Amino acid sequence: MVTGRKERTRLLEDHEAIRAHMNFLAKSLDKMSDKSVDVKERLWSYRQGLHDFREAVLNHIERDEAIFRALLKNAPVDESLAEHDDIHELVALAIRAADYAINHELSQAEMNQCALKIKTVFTRACQLIQEHTAKEDELLKRLSRDA
């Protein structure tokens, strides 16, 4: 795989797109308290967004790992890979909570609990993604300067 400026730029753009998608979903979570729409309907819609987000993250991770392995050659990337696994697991956990809420008959209070769990888990995923992409962005910029 060629790992030139074009690929590094693509990863930086991917990071921006992931953060934008993440921020959209985070803002959507804040709108979950809108009482004019049924909680289950809101969760169903939000779950669709989470599935799309997971797909975008998985596609990016695959490209990210291939490019960083090529760029860093023999440098250890274990920490980065572990963070990728953590991000994927947190997004999957949020999806499982949304799936549970959608697929079961729950009271309003239980639905609200599921929404809170999703928000807690997704907020943690957002923090990890922000930290992770910031580190990678800095590394990509440093590699571009050194190239």
Side-chain angles (χ1 to χ4, degrees), residues 2-145:
V2 177
T3 56
R5 182 173 302 280
K6 184 177 179 181
E7 288 78 14
R8 290 189 300 267
T9 300
R10 173 71 193 271
L11 281 181
L12 289 168
E13 291 169 351
D14 276 1
H15 288 164
E16 283 300 314
I18 293 287
R19 286 188 293 258
H21 196 163
M22 176 186 74
N23 289 333
F24 171 78
L25 287 171
K27 287 179 183 174
S28 296
L29 270 175
D30 293 336
K31 294 177 183 175
M32 285 268 212
S33 60
D34 179 3
K35 302 296 185 207
S36 65
V37 181
D38 178 62
V39 174
K40 195 167 203 160
E41 187 177 325
R42 291 188 307 252
L43 283 173
W44 186 87
S45 177
Y46 191 75
R47 182 186 79 172
Q48 297 306 109
L50 284 172
H51 279 279
D52 291 344
F53 184 69
R54 177 178 61 187
E55 190 66 30
V57 167
L58 289 174
N59 288 335
H60 170 72
I61 286 173
E62 184 178 303
R63 187 170 37 259
D64 184 80
E65 288 178 1
I67 290 172
F68 272 110
R69 278 194 175 109
L71 284 171
L72 301 176
K73 309 267 187 279
N74 296 323
V77 291
D78 294 342
E79 180 183 342
S80 184
L81 296 177
E83 287 176 354
H84 286 166
D85 289 344
D86 291 345
I87 291 165
H88 180 259
E89 182 54 36
L90 287 167
V91 173
L93 183 58
I95 289 171
R96 285 193 303 271
D99 286 346
Y100 180 82
I102 298 306
N103 295 320
H104 293 84
E105 288 300 319
L106 303 176
S107 69
Q108 183 71 33
E110 291 168 323
M111 291 295 277
N112 289 336
Q113 270 304 98
C114 280
L116 180 60
K117 179 177 183 175
I118 294 166
K119 184 172 185 165
T120 301
V121 170
F122 193 72
T123 298
R124 177 62 190 125
C126 290
Q127 292 167 339
L128 188 54
I129 289 167
Q130 289 285 14
E131 294 165 6
H132 179 76
T133 58
K135 284 189 283 189
E136 285 188 350
D137 287 354
E138 183 57 37
L139 178 59
L140 287 167
K141 289 173 186 172
R142 192 169 58 244
L143 288 169
S144 289
R145 284 190 303 266

